[in-house]
Amino acid sequence: MRAVVCAGAGGIDVLGIGEIPDPQPAVDEVIIDVVAAGVNRADLLQRQGSYPPPPGAPGTIGLEVSGRIAAVGAEVEGWSVGDECCALLAGGGYAEKVAVPAPQVMPVPDGVDLVSAAALPEVVATVWSNVFMSAHLKEGETLLVHGGSSGIGTMAIQLGVAHGARVLTTVGSAEKMEFCTRLGADVAINYKDAEWASVVNEATHGAGADVILDIIGAKYLPDNVKSLAYDGRLVVIGMQGGAKGELDLGRLLSRRGSVIATGLRFRSVEDKGRIIAEVVGHVWPLVEAKKVRPIVHSTFPLAEVAAAHETLEQSTQLGKVLLTL
């Protein structure tokens, strides 16, 4: 089958199209004929050689797909050949076919086309598991989302609003501010023009944010802790701004704050299945009611994978970038 292959680790020039063996399903897996695959920042890191797949996962890049079931393992129930679906992967999405543990496969929500469905698994599972399962965001609380125009950011804004939270977000341009406000954010802050922590303090009248979803890491750690409300929860899911920072324990103690650091890719199939079950039960009804939607910035044919990666690297996108097959 056709798949994206990398000629070593490096820039977008290492990406190419090659032939690799078709996957075969284990007894608890399905094979999906891929229609579209999501492009994530983790994919860029894997291409650069700094984020290898978990043991046993395909070496091919790609953490989420949509498509149709092509084969079903002997112990799989509830799925049949031809069913449309989307799925969360540990790897292998940039290919014509992928083998996926059945607990990580989801139906396509009513009203969502099959290509756009590829924009859902990674961002919805990330936001739901972190903001709601780990940080327990409640109605009436304040959610601060860093990188609000990203795939994760656009989903976090929508889910926060749908659950009755007040949402603040940081972005890097006036266009992104306007876009996030249209999505429902109460306050959008251009971090290039303003000191975002001061704006958060003013917007919350000094109370701070109850939950902060952070993709930056070390660079934002001091201001994130300053911006926490009493009993606030800081959830760190990325390190775009570095891996090591100074933590003000005094400030954290005075606010009774929590710092949670999580990842999704290396979780067990059982853990991922639990998250996926909650997503289908809690988020899919919101998607079908059109209170939440996948945000697709652009799509590229598989052969233009380098252009898709370049788009993400430039950080100009509003929502998700997809590959189509």
Side-chain angles (χ1 to χ4, degrees):
M1 65 176 180
R2 286 190 313 138
V4 172
V5 295
C6 293
I12 60 173
D13 56 300
V14 305
L15 295 166
I17 303 297
E19 295 284 333
I20 64 173
D22 286 11
Q24 301 299 317
V27 293
D28 59 349
E29 293 181 330
V30 301
I31 301 296
I32 298 175
D33 281 332
V34 177
V35 169
V39 179
N40 294 281
R41 288 204 171 270
D43 302 346
L44 276 56
L45 295 174
Q46 183 171 336
R47 184 202 75 215
Q48 293 161 2
S50 57
Y51 192 40
T60 308
I61 298 173
L63 297 176
E64 59 188 338
V65 297
S66 61
R68 298 178 180 88
I69 302 292
V72 178
E75 296 179 3
V76 173
E77 298 179 354
W79 292 104
S80 301
V81 172
D83 288 347
E84 294 188 346
C85 63
C86 55
L88 181 70
L89 315 174
Y94 290 13
E96 290 182 320
K97 297 177 183 288
V98 65
V100 191
Q104 295 170 211
V105 183
M106 297 167 278
V108 175
D110 290 342
V112 176
D113 67 88
L114 193 52
V115 170
S116 297
L120 289 171
E122 180 72 15
V123 295
V124 178
T126 296
V127 173
W128 186 260
S129 63
N130 286 288
V131 175
F132 296 93
M133 296 175 72
S134 293
H136 305 290
L137 180 71
K138 302 177 184 68
E139 182 179 359
E141 289 191 321
T142 296
L143 169 66
L144 171 60
V145 179
H146 290 303
S149 63
S150 67
I152 287 173
T154 55
M155 183 55 62
I157 291 170
Q158 292 182 87
L159 284 175
V161 171
H163 284 83
R166 185 182 187 218
V167 180
L168 286 64
T169 188
T170 61
V171 293
S173 71
E175 178 190 15
K176 291 178 178 180
M177 289 174 66
E178 181 183 357
F179 181 77
C180 290
T181 301
R182 291 203 308 269
L183 276 183
D186 296 274
V187 179
I189 308 159
N190 185 346
Y191 63 82
K192 294 179 180 178
D193 292 341
E195 185 179 300
W196 65 262
S198 296
V199 179
V200 170
N201 184 62
E202 293 170 8
T204 61
H205 305 289
D210 299 287
V211 176
I212 301 176
L213 184 65
D214 178 46
I215 60 173
I216 301 300
K219 181 180 178 181
Y220 276 11
L221 182 59
D223 281 340
N224 276 333
V225 173
K226 286 181 186 177
S227 300
L228 281 176
Y230 286 106
D231 299 311
R233 293 84 75 194
L234 166 60
V235 188
V236 181
I237 61 170
M239 298 182 294
Q240 293 180 34
K244 295 182 179 180
E246 185 172 312
L247 177 62
D248 185 343
L249 290 174
R251 176 71 180 186
L252 195 65
L253 284 165
S254 72
R255 287 278 165 163
R256 302 186 301 271
S258 303
V259 179
I260 305 164
T262 76
L264 184 60
R265 189 180 192 185
F266 285 80
R267 289 177 183 258
S268 67
V269 171
E270 182 182 14
D271 280 349
K272 290 177 182 176
R274 186 161 46 249
I275 294 167
I276 293 305
E278 288 216 11
V279 163
V280 173
H282 295 284
V283 181
W284 266 209
L286 296 173
V287 176
E288 292 171 352
K290 302 191 184 307
K291 294 181 179 179
V292 172
R293 61 188 174 92
I295 307 294
V296 178
H297 175 77
S298 55
T299 62
F300 295 86
L302 188 69
E304 296 179 17
V305 60
H309 274 222
E310 186 176 28
T311 298
L312 213 62
E313 288 179 339
Q314 292 173 345
S315 293
T316 56
Q317 83 281 359
L318 302 173
K320 294 284 292 188
V321 174
L322 303 179
L323 296 172
T324 56
L325 287 89

